[in-house]
Amino acid sequence: MAEVQSIHPADLRKIENNLNVLHNDLDVIQSNVNTVDSNVKVVYNEINSLAKEFHDYVQVAEKQHNLAVAETRLVKVRQELETKYGHYAEVRRTTTGILQADDLGIVKKDTISTATEELMISTPNYWLAPCLVALSAWICDQPELADTALREGIRRDDEKTSLLFALICRRAGRKQACLKWTQRYLANQNEHNLDRKCIIMLDAFAGGLLGSDSEGIIFRQMDKWLEQLGDQPGFIDRQTEQWSDAINLKREPVDTSSYVYLRKYSSTWPVLQDILEGANLHAIIFNYFETIFNMEASNEGLKAQLDEILDSLVTDFDDEELPLRREEKLNQFIIDFNGDVPRANSNMTLEQSAFETHKDFTQLLTDAAMKPESSHSSVSTQKFAIALSKDWITNAYNDVIAQNRKKIPNEIEIDIDTFHDKTTDGQNEQELREKLNSLIDSEKEEALRQCVLSAFERYCLIGGAAIAAIGLLMFLTGSGFLGLVVLVVGGGMVIKHYSAKKSSETRRQSVETAFEEKRTSGNQILLAVLAEIVDFRAEFAEKDGESQKVLDFMEAITPEQYIKKLSDTTRRIRIAE
């Protein structure tokens, strides 16, 4: 029994020693895991930062690529337009050239006849070519040829041929003939599906160039169109949407260079940029309308003004050119927006109606007022279209204002490294600074807890000293080499302890320094962000206030008074309710 009792305590001591070693190893592992976890967080933050920088770089590079491609495509599209439809240009230039030559009487009629016949041969299927032959035959007093050519022009394009000769007859002072051609043109129109070229008739009407009889017919026809369109269910809603789209098409990128910190340290920035752009729209629209109504109407003679409108009719692109013209416009948008393809596509969607071959009367008015470059409308037509549509514009503009204000965020996010909070107007500065400093203190304490000696490193001093003492004793008692080895091992453990302690202190100092720098930098950034938020709210309020100027301007426009300026005939303007 005595032998069993002597073995049993020995076994327990071994187990106890092994458990102590295992516990110490677990402490070391836990410490290492904590260190790795801390390092992973640092690496994760750095990766996020690098990912954002890389994403920004990719976006810039993509826009630069899109810009270069759009510039190349634009050149190719224009070359293709010139190759496919460049020969139309000669026919177009000849139209007003013949009229002006006939006015001056300095070109032989045979020359005019020969030139138009050659153009007829060189441009097959083009509607304008037989019209020129008819015009030449009319000038040369060849009624049979004029009638034959005129029938061919009508067969190729009745609407454009009727409109062309209505303007030519008005230019020649043949009011009754102008009236008949105008009636023919209008008879081919449907208020739901108007020819894109109807803007030409609107130009002549708005400029007061068609004479009292013709103007009376056109005005009654427009009044009828508006009445029939206005009787349709949902008409006002469609007008609001239509004009809202046209108004938003005038939005332009706004200068945000003064918001350096908000752009970088607020996830709310995209929304802020969008609503600031929306508020900036008010000044753009006001200047746009004011410029139009401040422009003087042409004071040139009747023939000069009609020639200008005729130029618009014959030089404006024809329907077969539309696909290339759309592509040309899209690439121009990409260039205008510095390679931003999504925004270019969005604007092209809104611009699309200007490239439609047919549209309803109200869309014609919208395009004439807001897209003069694409619809080729004159200033007189813009004024008339805006005056006639003022109620719809006002409704749409109020909707644009409301939609932009609806997007105003009540609270603005602030994201500075690991600090995430929000503010309404920057007035809670003290609260945010306290939260930031508290977060930094917490993170610093967590980091400092990782800068401690492991269990092994802590016991290296005592254990190493003991082992060194044993080694020295062994060396002195005759076990020279073995004692020296034990002594070196013990001394190494003591050195490791002090080395680890010094490293720990260095790490602690580094942590202290890093977090104090983070505190200083974080507070500076926070103050800068809050200052920019205050500036942003003030700038937005100022720009948003410009909306009232637009509404007041539209209120001051009186269609009846404006129409009186177009001619001596007093007429009633009916706005469809």
Side-chain angles (χ1 to χ4, degrees), residues 383-403:
K383 294 179 181 180
F384 174 68
I386 293 169
L388 196 60
S389 309
K390 62 167 289 184
D391 288 349
W392 306 327
I393 296 174
T394 301
N395 287 340
Y397 202 78
N398 279 317
D399 185 68
V400 168
I401 295 169
Q403 291 300 322

Side-chain angles (χ1 to χ4, degrees), residues 286 289 293 386-387 389-395 397-398 547-562:
F286 178 77
F289 285 159
F293 281 89
I386 293 169
S389 309
K390 62 167 289 184
D391 288 349
W392 306 327
I393 296 174
T394 301
N395 287 340
Y397 202 78
N398 279 317
S547 60
Q548 192 58 46
K549 291 174 63 176
V550 179
L551 296 173
D552 292 343
F553 184 86
M554 294 306 303
E555 182 65 26
I557 297 175
T558 305
E560 293 85 350
Q561 294 177 351
Y562 177 70

Side-chain angles (χ1 to χ4, degrees), residues 247-267:
I247 290 167
N248 279 316
L249 189 62
K250 298 296 181 183
R251 287 177 63 139
E252 297 176 358
V254 66
D255 181 16
T256 58
S257 58
S258 59
Y259 299 107
V260 178
Y261 291 92
L262 259 180
R263 293 204 310 267
K264 188 174 182 180
Y265 297 105
S266 177
S267 57

Side-chain angles (χ1 to χ4, degrees), residues 337-383:
F337 295 127
N338 294 316
D340 190 341
V341 173
R343 179 162 188 178
N345 285 327
S346 176
N347 272 46
M348 192 62 201
T349 300
L350 298 178
E351 185 82 11
Q352 192 68 27
S353 63
F355 292 90
E356 294 172 355
T357 57
H358 288 77
K359 60 194 76 176
D360 72 34
F361 181 55
T362 60
Q363 185 65 64
L364 190 78
L365 293 174
T366 305
D367 291 346
M370 307 301 287
K371 307 170 189 176
E373 301 86 1
S374 301
S375 62
H376 301 276
S377 59
S378 68
V379 174
S380 294
T381 304
Q382 285 183 275
K383 294 179 181 180

Side-chain angles (χ1 to χ4, degrees), residues 133-146:
V133 174
L135 177 60
S136 171
W138 182 26
I139 292 173
C140 297
D141 196 20
Q142 298 173 318
E144 292 184 2
L145 178 59

Side-chain angles (χ1 to χ4, degrees), residues 7 55 420 439 546:
I7 293 172
H55 177 70
H420 305 287
L439 175 65
E546 294 286 317

